[in-house]
Amino acid sequence: MGRILIVDDDPEIRDVVHVYLRNEGYEVLEASDGIEALEVLSHEKVGLLILDVMMPRMDGINACMKIREKYTMPIIMLSAMEEDIDKIMGLSTGADDYMTKPFNPMELIARVKAQFRRQVMTAPKEEKPDGIHIQDLVIDEAKHFVSMRGQVVNLTPLEFAILTMLAANPGHVFSADTIYESVWKERSGYSDNTVMVHIRNLREKLELRPKEPQYIKTVWGVGYKIDK
């Protein structure tokens, strides 16, 4: 079913989430802060992280940035802060989803399952040796591989899915709602700035000048596209 790491300095929250996840058949590991989480990741294979923001020693924002330097597994961020700017900051550092405390454990379980489903949906079905080539961008869907100007680019599963969707349909403009519903497999009712943040993250990883993108372009008032 998958191994999940819960990172939270509150043992009661860890215990509650642990029980719900275990009852769904998941194997669960725990850490009390970002430093301990990085230590666990250094010797344990983990399929998904549930990461609190406010923690001692190393908080969730800094931990997420450190984790994203080496790992691409989905990250669901938890926070008592519910302002849009807090959500945007969490997503900007590499989180795939964001929930505010207090939260319904069953909603968290639903989001965990959704993240694992997306990994299965984006897994390669067959070899496509030629992949997608657009100027210096190369995407191999079968190997879940992306390179830009000959350098390997590490993307999260959601970033990879968005990039592949745009690159596989050059010139086609996709609205933020369409991207959200296609990639997240959910209605776009609460997507807010989620797609915009992931597009910005992709540009930071792919573009020489992210504010003047050569690849992922914005069609103002309409959406996003990649030209051939």
Side-chain angles (χ1 to χ4, degrees), residues 84 87 91 96-99 107 111 114-115 118 177 180 184 186-195:
D84 283 347
K87 179 177 180 180
L91 295 171
D96 297 279
D97 202 352
Y98 187 101
M99 291 187 68
E107 181 183 353
R111 296 196 184 196
Q115 291 295 335
R118 287 178 199 120
D177 285 347
Y180 188 88
W184 275 259
E186 299 173 1
R187 292 184 63 83
S188 61
Y190 76 97
S191 60
D192 298 321
N193 297 307
T194 302
V195 171

Side-chain angles (χ1 to χ4, degrees), residues 31-214:
S32 60
D33 58 42
I35 293 175
E36 190 176 337
L38 289 167
E39 173 62 23
V40 172
L41 291 174
S42 70
H43 57 80
E44 297 285 356
K45 189 171 183 179
V46 173
L48 181 144
L49 266 73
I50 297 172
L51 182 63
D52 185 34
V53 172
M54 301 299 291
M55 296 183 293
R57 296 207 300 170
M58 180 184 288
D59 63 26
I61 297 296
N62 285 296
C64 190
M65 290 190 289
K66 284 286 186 183
I67 290 165
R68 282 294 179 239
E69 291 175 5
K70 295 181 62 176
Y71 307 100
T72 60
M73 78 284 285
I75 297 175
I76 299 175
M77 192 165 278
L78 305 178
S79 176
M81 300 179 292
E82 56 184 15
E83 297 296 327
D84 283 347
I85 189 64
D86 300 314
K87 179 177 180 180
I88 291 172
M89 181 179 294
L91 295 171
S92 296
T93 60
D96 297 279
D97 202 352
Y98 187 101
M99 291 187 68
T100 55
K101 295 180 177 179
F103 57 87
N104 184 328
M106 293 309 298
E107 181 183 353
L108 177 60
I109 296 300
R111 296 196 184 196
V112 166
K113 290 180 177 180
Q115 291 295 335
F116 278 119
R117 280 199 305 272
R118 287 178 199 120
Q119 287 184 299
V120 172
M121 287 175 173
T122 57
K125 300 298 187 297
E126 59 183 28
E127 289 291 328
K128 297 182 181 179
D130 292 334
I132 301 171
H133 297 252
I134 299 178
Q135 301 178 53
D136 293 326
L137 173 66
V138 178
I139 304 171
D140 189 324
E141 294 181 77
K143 297 179 180 177
H144 210 273
F145 169 88
V146 174
S147 69
M148 175 61 79
R149 292 175 287 276
Q151 299 294 316
V152 176
V153 181
N154 293 318
L155 301 181
T156 69
L158 288 175
E159 290 168 352
F160 184 86
I162 294 170
L163 179 64
T164 302
M165 179 181 180
L166 295 175
N169 300 274
H172 186 93
V173 182
F174 291 94
S175 69
D177 285 347
T178 299
I179 293 172
Y180 188 88
E181 291 176 0
S182 297
V183 172
W184 275 259
K185 307 300 179 187
E186 299 173 1
R187 292 184 63 83
S188 61
Y190 76 97
S191 60
D192 298 321
N193 297 307
T194 302
V195 171
M196 179 194 71
V197 172
H198 281 78
I199 292 289
R200 187 172 67 193
N201 290 344
L202 277 168
R203 285 172 173 161
E204 291 290 339
K205 294 180 179 182
L206 297 173
E207 304 279 1
L208 288 174
R209 294 185 295 275
K211 293 184 178 179
E212 301 175 14
Q214 177 184 353

